[in-house]
Amino acid sequence: MTGLESLDADQQLALTGERTVPGIPAENYWFRRHEIAYRHILDRCRGREILEAGSGEGYGAAMIADAGASSVVCVDYDTSAVEHTRRRYPGLVVHQGNLIDLPLADASVDLVVNFQVIEHLWDQAAFIAECRRVLRPGGELLISTPNRITFSPGRDTPLNPFHTRELNAAELTALIVEGGFALDAMLGVHHGPRLTALDEKWGGSLIDAQIERALAGEPWPADLVDDVAGVAAEDFAVLDARDSDIDASLDLFAVATRA
């Protein structure tokens, strides 16, 4: 089970704003925007030993396991998330731990997945060093994170109170390379045609339409509810920086190899 189905309230991890969870219609845009990164990597996970560092609700690790990974180990700092993942996805191995002190042996995994997590960490360089330690030579590190330029435009501090430091593509590249990895690709997540049309419908930005009503405490109009609930992962496009403007991307997605 991937966890992408609608869930009963007692099956859901509480929505606090710190992480996205499946099964909530009003959260669906953000969930699908996260989901596309997992869908993009499933083929490369097949037959490999995977660590998801910062596994959150657990749906991503479950997708990776269902796609044929040899093994999937999860590590998350939050006790409630760990307990939820163990209940919801009993086939996963889940550890509660600090991402800058991973409870894994040296050179013990083939691939580390870290999606929408690094922006929450205080010591990002120490985390990259831990990823290098637990990866086998030639192992891969996959990181996604909000693009600071478009997520918190014109700001030195993040808009999201759960984020400590957001990155642009150049900053993420420097962090990875200085941590002993070779950057294979810098990708960006963008709105595809259907979401671009919804942006136009909602005054230029579907994201702003959601945020403005949430901040104002206003009920959403029925057509906004329907539009958000209808978003699919396939409505997003993952584009290489060599073929698109990476600074215009919504999220960054780096693929790196342990040097």
Side-chain angles (χ1 to χ4, degrees):
M1 179 180 291
T2 64
L4 306 189
E5 307 86 351
S6 294
L7 306 180
D8 295 333
D10 60 354
Q11 295 177 300
Q12 290 173 338
L13 183 64
L15 185 64
T16 64
E18 187 172 8
R19 65 181 65 82
T20 190
V21 300
I24 300 177
E27 179 71 5
N28 185 58
Y29 168 86
W30 298 101
F31 173 72
R32 300 301 176 183
R33 183 165 144 181
H34 288 52
E35 182 191 0
I36 188 58
Y38 287 101
R39 291 192 177 277
H40 194 76
I41 68 167
L42 293 181
D43 285 346
R44 74 195 315 142
C45 293
R46 190 170 291 112
R48 304 176 79 183
E49 295 183 79
I50 312 295
L51 164 66
E52 182 165 25
S55 49
E57 196 271 349
Y59 67 87
M63 290 174 66
I64 292 169
D66 287 349
S70 175
S71 66
V72 182
V73 175
C74 303
V75 178
D76 201 276
Y77 186 75
D78 184 78
T79 301
S80 62
V82 169
E83 292 174 349
H84 169 87
T85 303
R86 287 172 176 163
R87 289 193 307 270
R88 176 69 178 157
Y89 312 101
L92 298 174
V93 176
V94 190
H95 299 291
Q96 194 278 332
N98 194 321
L99 298 192
I100 63 170
D101 186 18
L102 292 168
L104 276 77
D106 294 358
S108 57
V109 296
D110 300 314
L111 190 151
V112 174
V113 176
N114 179 249
F115 284 173
Q116 303 292 325
V117 173
I118 197 167
E119 66 276 5
H120 295 261
L121 304 182
W122 288 103
D123 195 338
Q124 295 172 344
F127 168 67
I128 297 295
E130 271 294 271
C131 291
R132 190 175 190 281
R133 179 184 67 79
V134 302
L135 277 166
R136 298 180 176 116
E140 289 185 303
L141 172 62
L142 309 179
I143 295 179
S144 77
T145 189
N147 179 7
R148 177 173 59 79
I149 295 173
T150 57
F151 198 80
S152 298
R155 291 176 58 94
D156 294 326
T157 56
L159 282 169
N160 188 317
F162 295 103
H163 293 181
T164 61
R165 179 195 177 205
E166 295 171 354
L167 303 160
N168 63 26
E171 292 163 342
L172 180 57
T173 298
L175 185 68
I176 289 169
V177 172
E178 290 168 6
F181 287 84
L183 184 70
D184 300 321
M186 180 64 71
L187 311 174
V189 176
H190 300 257
H191 281 178
R194 183 169 175 273
L195 283 170
T196 299
L198 287 176
D199 283 334
E200 295 176 2
K201 174 181 177 179
W202 291 102
S205 174
L206 177 64
I207 298 170
D208 289 348
Q210 298 175 74
I211 293 173
E212 288 167 5
R213 286 163 176 80
L215 292 176
E218 298 177 357
W220 289 16
D223 54 344
L224 179 59
V225 173
D226 290 343
D227 286 344
V228 169
V231 172
E234 294 77 9
D235 293 326
F236 296 90
V238 179
L239 305 177
D240 195 293
R242 293 168 293 188
D243 305 318
S244 62
D245 181 2
I246 194 65
D247 289 339
S249 67
L250 301 167
D251 298 318
L252 305 170
F253 182 7
V255 179
T257 300
R258 184 189 187 279

